[in-house]
Amino acid sequence: MPITDPTPHNTEASRAAARRQQILAAAAQCFREHGFHGASIARISKIAGMSAGHIYHYFENKEAIIGAIVAQDLETLLTLTAELRAACNVRNALIERAAEGVLDQLDPASAALKVEIVAEAARNPHVARIVREADATCRRELMVTIHAIRSAAGHDDTPAATADMVEVLASLFEGLLLRTIRNPDLDRRRVAQRIQLAINDLLDQPG
Amino acid sequence: MPITDPTPHNTEASRAAARRQQILAAAAQCFREHGFHGASIARISKIAGMSAGHIYHYFENKEAIIGAIVAQDLETLLTLTAELRAACNVRNALIERAAEGVLDQLDPASAALKVEIVAEAARNPHVARIVREADATCRRELMVTIHAIRSAAGHDDTPAATADMVEVLASLFEGLLLRTIRNPDLDRRRVAQRIQLAINDLLDQPG
DNA sequence: TAACATAGAATGAGCGTTCGATCTAGAATA
DNA sequence: TATTCTAGATCGAACGCTCATTCTATGTTA
């Protein structure tokens, strides 16, 4: 069969994708400022620079926009842990990346959205499913990474023990999202160093 | 002047207080299930067993209900840290209490409300003020406690170093709220033990 | 011209809040 | 004690508004 014209499709497709992204960017801003339920389609459309009705040409409904925002946010988390797993000297990589990761977590604007997502996951099954699948993937990646580090140091941990250490590591990180909202004045760099120490200790815990 | 009748006042007052508490309990349930903005006065009033309009005899508006719920939730946190500070052998008290504290944090229902509160604090100045004042008090208490423990172990920390350790401790704890939502299948008891180890290490970190 | 992009009005539901009407229980009075 | 008075408790309808979503009409472009 003949190849159908690629150019118009591409421009149409990219145009539509750009429009979609435009909506998502506006939605992310609104969700950060007003929460998922406080943000109205009217407000999102105003910031996205289009009519409210037109948004429904790109998303089935508001829930779909929320889903896309959640998936987009978790995507970055997935690539981060995947990168970590690929690093060669894994222990140093983990601890050095930790400092960057901590500073990211301590950015109040992005923290607000991340916390909003978990709050929504606690009551919205659709969001919960997305969040939990991404989290399971991250945990699997981190388990491999941590098991490798500890094996190299002579520990032979059970899967359960590794899973628990992953939970503590995750708790340490994710807690920062709440800390930066509860105490916006904390010293980000110094806290990052302390977290590095804590991770170091965690990796040397008895099995 | 003569003492005015105490009995009717008491019953009236306690009746009103009971009614208020009834509303707050219903509101807490609704907020947990639907979030601050997803929960309507109509729904709260139905669960509280009274008409929607009647709620406005006890609270000025919905914002006031949110404020009361937030204050009530943070109250328990304040008494917990105050208790901790009063314990005699502080290090053991801290670490033993930690296990209980961890299990509390890992209760999904109460975690949902606590996360909702922080999410709201990120965008609602009134809630932010309540949350941050309570947090500052907790941090002060924890700083005294941790400084005492570390002094006894021969460390002479700067206030900044102590503050940073408090942040890490708080992050570890509060992160559990997010963990139990993201991964409801985690093993609560084993994670509690791991957290105890991590706190132990934290208290021995170099100054 | 055909197909799609876009706007903006329309819709119906639900929201927070107000308000006037009742109900009720205890105080005052006879 | 019996009756009236009264102030607060309570209800439910009503208000004005905003919401998510749909629909129709009008550009726009290939």
Side-chain angles (χ1 to χ4, degrees):
Chain A
M1 62 178 166
I3 303 160
T4 49
D5 49 354
T7 336
H9 264 173
N10 271 358
T11 40
E12 272 173 40
S14 72
R15 178 194 187 81
R19 223 73 171 114
R20 245 185 90 98
Q21 201 53 43
Q22 199 175 346
I23 294 170
L24 288 181
Q29 178 184 332
C30 287
F31 291 158
R32 237 181 278 122
E33 291 172 4
H34 307 282
F36 286 135
H37 296 288
S40 67
I41 296 288
R43 218 192 297 256
I44 293 171
S45 73
K46 196 167 287 178
I47 291 183
M50 67 185 70
S51 73
H54 192 41
I55 286 189
Y56 288 84
H57 281 252
Y58 296 96
F59 292 93
E60 194 189 340
N61 51 31
K62 193 179 170 182
E63 174 87 6
I65 302 179
I66 294 176
I69 290 280
V70 170
Q72 184 176 262
D73 185 274
L74 296 176
E75 199 67 29
T76 69
L77 193 64
L78 288 172
T79 59
L80 188 85
T81 58
E83 271 176 35
L84 218 64
R85 176 142 143 58
C88 43
N89 181 335
V90 210
R91 177 158 190 152
N92 287 354
L94 184 67
I95 292 179
E96 275 167 28
R97 279 294 170 111
E100 295 173 47
V102 168
L103 292 177
D104 282 351
Q105 296 282 90
L106 288 174
D107 171 54
S110 75
L113 185 54
K114 285 173 202 291
V115 172
E116 178 72 22
I117 288 173
V118 180
E120 182 70 10
R123 61 182 108 97
N124 178 331
H126 178 215
V127 171
R129 201 176 136 271
I130 302 175
V131 164
R132 282 169 193 158
E133 272 176 18
D135 192 71
T137 305
C138 284
R139 273 184 283 121
R140 273 193 297 273
E141 297 277 346
L142 276 177
M143 277 186 69
V144 175
T145 306
I146 285 188
H147 189 78
I149 293 174
R150 305 232 336 145
S151 289
H155 291 96
D156 184 28
D157 303 320
T158 63
T162 312
D164 296 342
M165 282 184 275
V166 167
E167 283 299 334
V168 175
L169 185 65
S171 194
L172 204 48
F173 256 87
E174 294 175 22
L176 295 169
L177 299 174
L178 306 181
R179 293 310 308 153
T180 198
I181 294 170
R182 281 185 137 126
N183 178 18
D185 297 328
L186 57 80
D187 187 306
R188 296 170 213 288
R189 272 187 296 273
R190 286 208 325 263
V191 169
Q193 288 181 315
R194 280 281 161 201
I195 296 272
Q196 280 184 308
L197 287 177
I199 294 174
N200 209 41
D201 289 341
L202 180 67
L203 294 173
D204 291 327
Q205 276 195 1
Chain B
M1 59 179 167
I3 302 161
T4 50
D5 47 357
T7 336
H9 264 170
N10 272 358
T11 41
E12 273 173 39
S14 71
R15 177 194 187 81
R19 223 76 170 109
R20 247 183 88 97
Q21 201 53 43
Q22 198 176 345
I23 295 170
L24 287 182
Q29 179 184 332
C30 287
F31 290 158
R32 238 182 278 122
E33 292 172 4
H34 307 283
F36 286 135
H37 296 289
S40 68
I41 296 288
R43 217 192 296 257
I44 293 172
S45 72
K46 196 167 287 177
I47 291 183
M50 67 185 70
S51 72
H54 193 42
I55 286 190
Y56 289 83
H57 280 253
Y58 295 96
F59 293 92
E60 195 188 341
N61 50 32
K62 194 179 169 183
E63 175 85 7
I65 302 179
I66 294 176
I69 290 280
V70 170
Q72 184 176 261
D73 185 272
L74 296 176
E75 198 68 27
T76 70
L77 193 66
L78 289 172
T79 59
L80 188 86
T81 58
E83 271 176 36
L84 221 64
R85 176 143 143 58
C88 44
N89 182 337
V90 210
R91 177 160 189 150
N92 288 354
L94 184 67
I95 291 180
E96 276 167 27
R97 280 294 170 113
E100 295 174 47
V102 167
L103 292 177
D104 282 350
Q105 296 282 89
L106 287 175
D107 171 53
S110 76
L113 185 54
K114 285 173 203 290
V115 172
E116 178 72 22
I117 288 173
V118 181
E120 182 71 11
R123 62 181 108 96
N124 178 331
H126 177 214
V127 171
R129 202 176 135 271
I130 301 175
V131 165
R132 284 171 190 156
E133 272 175 18
D135 192 72
T137 305
C138 284
R139 275 184 282 121
R140 274 192 296 274
E141 297 277 346
L142 276 176
M143 278 185 70
V144 174
T145 306
I146 285 188
H147 189 78
I149 293 174
R150 302 223 350 136
S151 288
H155 291 94
D156 184 30
D157 302 321
T158 63
T162 312
D164 296 343
M165 282 184 274
V166 167
E167 283 299 334
V168 175
L169 185 65
S171 194
L172 205 47
F173 257 86
E174 294 175 22
L176 296 169
L177 300 174
L178 306 180
R179 293 311 307 153
T180 198
I181 294 171
R182 283 185 135 126
N183 178 17
D185 297 328
L186 58 80
D187 188 304
R188 297 171 213 290
R189 271 188 297 272
R190 287 207 325 263
V191 169
Q193 288 180 315
R194 280 280 162 203
I195 295 273
Q196 279 183 310
L197 287 176
I199 294 174
N200 209 41
D201 289 342
L202 181 66
L203 294 173
D204 290 327
Q205 274 196 0

